[in-house]
Amino acid sequence: MYRSHTCGELRQEHVGQEVTLAGWVHRRRDHGPLIFVDLRDRYGITQVVFDSQSPEVHAVAEEARSEFVLQVRGVVRSRPPEAHNPELATGDIEVTATSATVLNPARTTPLYIAKEGGEDEALRLKYRYLDLRRERMQRNMILRHRVIKFMRDFLDAEGFLEIETPILIKSTPEGARDYLVPSRVHPGSFYALPQSPQQLKQLLMVAGYDKYFQVARCFRDEDQRADRQPEFTQLDMEMSFVEQEDVISLIERLFTQLCAAVVPHKRVLTPFPRLSYAEAMERYGSDKPDLRYGLELINLSDLLTATPFNVFKGALEQGGQVKGLRLPGCGNYTRKQLDELIEMVRGSGGKGLAWAALPADGGDVRSSFAKLLAPGEMAAIIERMQAQPGDLLLIVADKASSVAAALDKLRRLFAERLNLADPDLLHFSWVLDFPLLDWNPDENRWDAVHHPFTAPHAEDQPLLASDPAKVRAQAYDLVLNGYEVGGGSIRIHRRDVQQRIFELLGISEETAQSQFGHMLEAFEYGAPPHGGIAPGIDRIVMLLADESTIREVMAFPKTQQAADLMTNAPSEVDERQLKELHITLR
């Protein structure tokens, strides 16, 4: 037996017992006759005392260094009152070693295990198996386990069945690039790794499994960001005979109860507020707004219809907008600071940024554009934006999408600078009624805003023929603290409607039959109305753990360049393997 107890288990009630521990040397303090070793495993740390009166045992401690793997037998003792360590769960006791064995020595590690921070992330990813020994990473992995276990238990109690779907599937044009897998036994043909089990879970609804879920691995060959990885995990769900309200109600109960169970120190506001897509874009410039703070965008367009200022005038004449953001207490920004904001807007595709600073003492307004306005326009802007002395007003004039992107970026930046977001508030919300389609001028066709299986609102279906841009989707995104953490919709379950959407997307009947014939045929065999959602587990755990990137809550993530620094993947393969797969590289 390697151990009778873990390193986080012993308490006062174990005093006097003989125990066996095994773990890693976390810290070692040599006081001559006495050597103190903090022995660590994933459950905690226990202080072990090696006394020179037991020479053989003391010799093991003299040899041991950080990250050596030790087995120790000894007797549990109470620590003297002055030596209690309130920072450790085991801080009231220690183990006096009676025997000890080095199970495995360790080289000096390339990163400190007992002390975190300071090293380059690339080093952490290269030696991820060492990084995972650290308290922060262990805490995140344990949190991730608890989140997934809660989800499984909750859905099981709700009557859901966990059903696995294939990893090797057919490649279909659904948005992001597929990862392709060549087939050895079918030369020239390829499988794809699933971007999601979307089609398969809809087919499970046709099969009669009316409550399905899966902790699903998904793969997308797209550019990486802090909240993206080439492979990720989602809670994939689908239900039959449901409407949008049924899905939303279930998810609100799931996450309200989950957060109370796994992060009880955080607050969740219920019911989750709901915004239409149009309202979210109008008020926040984003379809995933962080609602922990205000800083709403203010539309100034109607005040400036006759303005002589060419920047505002030109934007409005071309169908654009003039919108602003009021930043309390920032009226003392220097010209250098304001120039940095202007460059930030230009760097994200905007044409520029107009600003006005109201001095705290109530003096004249400093502004980049006030002299170019008609009489009364500056006063109207200040009144509309409810500006106070000491405030800074930032204004963008451009097409609606550019205005939204620029002001959303500024809103997030100043929320961070002004410390507006409560870190212990989990502000879930729903964004509803997305457009079903988005016009693609480059290819002269419509694109699906979510995916081609999303159902339009029933009352909007006639507009598919006359005005597709006005058709709203029965789609709903779950948003948390400025991140989209789940997307879902009521699905199309009739062949004629699905074929109509394919036509609008420029998918020919022949291509539709080739790519999606199995679904179209299935819809003819009694497909029930159905809908679902797929919350992203990585992003949710990231936010619950107060991390800024999903790499911190994944055991073995890739870099932002989709590389595995630990195993050096992706890598070249042997010529013989390529030959077997009938592949020639160019």
Side-chain angles (χ1 to χ4, degrees), residues 395-562:
I395 299 173
V396 177
D398 207 334
K399 60 183 181 181
S401 59
S402 297
V403 170
L407 290 178
D408 172 50
K409 192 169 185 178
L410 290 168
R411 180 176 181 266
R412 292 172 188 266
L413 172 70
F414 278 92
E416 185 176 341
R417 287 186 179 180
L418 299 175
N419 262 339
L420 298 181
D422 182 349
D424 289 329
L425 175 60
L426 295 170
H427 205 314
F428 288 93
S429 60
W430 291 102
V431 177
L432 314 171
D433 295 338
F434 286 83
L436 182 71
L437 303 166
D438 183 40
W439 180 251
N440 184 335
D442 295 333
E443 299 188 22
N444 198 35
R445 64 173 175 80
W446 295 97
D447 286 335
V449 170
H450 279 75
H451 56 60
F453 313 113
T454 300
H457 276 284
E459 61 269 30
D460 291 355
Q461 279 201 36
L463 295 172
L464 287 171
S466 59
D467 195 353
K470 291 184 178 178
V471 178
R472 295 167 302 144
Q474 292 191 63
Y476 33 86
D477 277 3
L478 180 64
V479 176
L480 173 58
N481 293 0
Y483 289 86
E484 182 233 314
V485 294
S489 67
I490 300 301
R491 322 300 188 188
I492 297 168
H493 67 282
R494 291 176 45 134
R495 178 170 185 147
D496 58 338
V497 178
Q498 188 65 75
Q499 285 184 311
R500 178 69 184 118
I501 297 300
F502 285 157
E503 290 170 10
L504 284 169
L505 297 176
I507 300 174
S508 69
E509 188 173 343
E510 181 182 2
T511 301
Q513 187 60 38
S514 169
Q515 299 285 356
F516 306 108
H518 53 283
M519 287 193 71
L520 294 172
E521 184 176 8
F523 288 169
E524 297 183 303
Y525 291 110
H530 58 280
I533 192 169
I537 290 174
D538 309 298
R539 286 185 189 174
I540 289 165
V541 178
M542 176 189 80
L543 293 167
L544 298 185
D546 295 317
E547 296 287 2
S548 60
T549 163
I550 61 173
R551 293 190 295 278
E552 299 297 352
V553 298
M554 303 174 79
F556 297 103
K558 308 289 190 294
T559 66
Q560 286 198 356
Q561 289 72 43

Side-chain angles (χ1 to χ4, degrees), residues 79-247:
R79 290 200 198 189
E82 67 275 10
H84 284 200
N85 185 349
E87 295 183 5
L88 291 180
T90 60
D92 292 341
I93 59 90
E94 62 191 13
V95 172
T96 301
T98 56
S99 68
T101 305
V102 175
L103 298 177
N104 211 340
R107 294 165 51 192
T108 301
T109 54
L111 44 81
Y112 292 110
I113 308 300
K115 179 182 176 183
E116 299 186 26
E119 65 278 309
D120 186 73
E121 188 187 38
L123 186 68
R124 293 178 57 208
L125 295 180
K126 179 175 175 62
Y127 295 97
R128 189 62 159 188
Y129 49 87
L130 296 178
D131 192 39
L132 285 167
R133 290 183 188 175
R134 292 164 143 179
E135 182 182 359
R136 171 190 180 185
M137 290 305 303
Q138 290 192 352
R139 184 172 62 245
N140 288 350
M141 292 301 103
I142 292 168
L143 175 63
R144 185 185 180 106
H145 159 77
R146 292 181 64 205
V147 166
I148 293 173
K149 183 181 185 300
F150 187 96
M151 289 173 168
R152 281 193 160 108
D153 291 345
F154 177 91
L155 293 174
D156 177 65
E158 291 283 337
F160 281 74
L161 296 177
E162 183 169 10
I163 302 175
E164 296 174 342
T165 54
I167 291 295
L168 297 176
I169 62 170
K170 181 183 181 67
S171 179
T172 56
E174 289 179 39
R177 297 184 183 92
D178 285 332
Y179 279 101
L180 300 177
V181 181
S183 170
R184 180 183 59 83
V185 296
H186 299 283
S189 295
F190 294 81
Y191 300 103
L193 303 182
Q195 296 180 32
S196 85
Q198 181 62 45
Q199 296 181 49
L200 296 163
K201 66 180 179 179
Q202 288 192 246
L203 294 173
L204 284 171
M205 297 303 102
V206 180
Y209 295 90
D210 64 318
K211 289 185 176 182
Y212 141 92
F213 85 96
Q214 179 182 188
V215 178
R217 298 290 285 175
C218 303
F219 307 85
R220 291 182 187 170
D221 189 7
E222 57 188 356
D223 295 336
Q224 303 307 300
R225 297 192 311 227
D227 60 342
R228 279 185 183 168
Q229 280 278 292
E231 52 182 310
F232 56 95
T233 307
Q234 66 187 33
L235 177 64
D236 202 58
M237 304 167 61
E238 200 78 6
M239 292 155 272
S240 293
F241 307 111
V242 292
E243 297 176 332
Q244 178 174 289
E245 193 61 38
D246 300 307
V247 181

Side-chain angles (χ1 to χ4, degrees), residues 5-20:
H5 297 78
T6 70
C7 294
E9 187 176 349
L10 300 176
R11 301 290 188 273
Q12 280 287 353
E13 60 264 27
H14 297 98
V15 168
Q17 292 184 21
E18 187 170 54
V19 298
T20 304

Side-chain angles (χ1 to χ4, degrees), residues 206-389:
V206 180
Y209 295 90
D210 64 318
K211 289 185 176 182
Y212 141 92
F213 85 96
Q214 179 182 188
V215 178
R217 298 290 285 175
C218 303
F219 307 85
R220 291 182 187 170
D221 189 7
E222 57 188 356
D223 295 336
Q224 303 307 300
R225 297 192 311 227
D227 60 342
R228 279 185 183 168
Q229 280 278 292
E231 52 182 310
F232 56 95
T233 307
Q234 66 187 33
L235 177 64
D236 202 58
M237 304 167 61
E238 200 78 6
M239 292 155 272
S240 293
F241 307 111
V242 292
E243 297 176 332
Q244 178 174 289
E245 193 61 38
D246 300 307
V247 181
I248 286 176
S249 174
L250 178 81
I251 292 299
E252 288 200 16
R253 285 190 290 112
L254 166 60
F255 282 104
T256 301
Q257 294 178 33
L258 183 150
C259 293
V262 304
V263 283
H265 62 286
K266 291 185 177 287
R267 294 182 294 116
V268 176
L269 300 182
T270 55
F272 301 171
R274 303 181 187 189
L275 300 169
S276 70
Y277 169 81
E279 183 184 6
M281 296 303 295
E282 175 66 21
R283 293 172 60 187
Y284 303 103
S286 171
D287 59 2
K288 47 183 184 295
D290 191 335
L291 299 185
R292 289 176 296 173
Y293 49 89
L295 292 190
E296 292 193 23
L297 314 191
I298 301 163
N299 200 327
L300 307 170
S301 303
D302 61 306
L303 300 178
L304 301 163
T305 52
T307 185
F309 181 33
N310 285 333
V311 173
F312 293 171
K313 180 180 178 181
L316 294 173
E317 286 177 347
Q318 295 174 29
Q321 296 177 327
V322 182
K323 279 187 171 182
L325 194 62
R326 181 180 75 87
L327 302 168
C330 296
N332 59 352
Y333 262 46
T334 66
R335 186 56 192 259
K336 181 181 177 182
Q337 289 174 304
L338 293 165
D339 286 344
E340 288 172 353
L341 297 177
I342 292 169
E343 286 307 310
M344 188 184 82
V345 169
R346 287 175 177 163
S348 61
K351 292 179 181 177
L353 178 68
W355 58 268
L358 282 64
D361 60 9
D364 292 338
V365 175
R366 288 189 301 130
S367 175
S368 63
F369 65 94
K371 292 180 180 179
L372 303 172
L373 296 176
E377 286 183 338
M378 192 71 222
I381 290 171
I382 290 172
E383 182 180 2
R384 171 69 60 84
M385 299 185 75
Q386 298 182 344
Q388 303 296 319

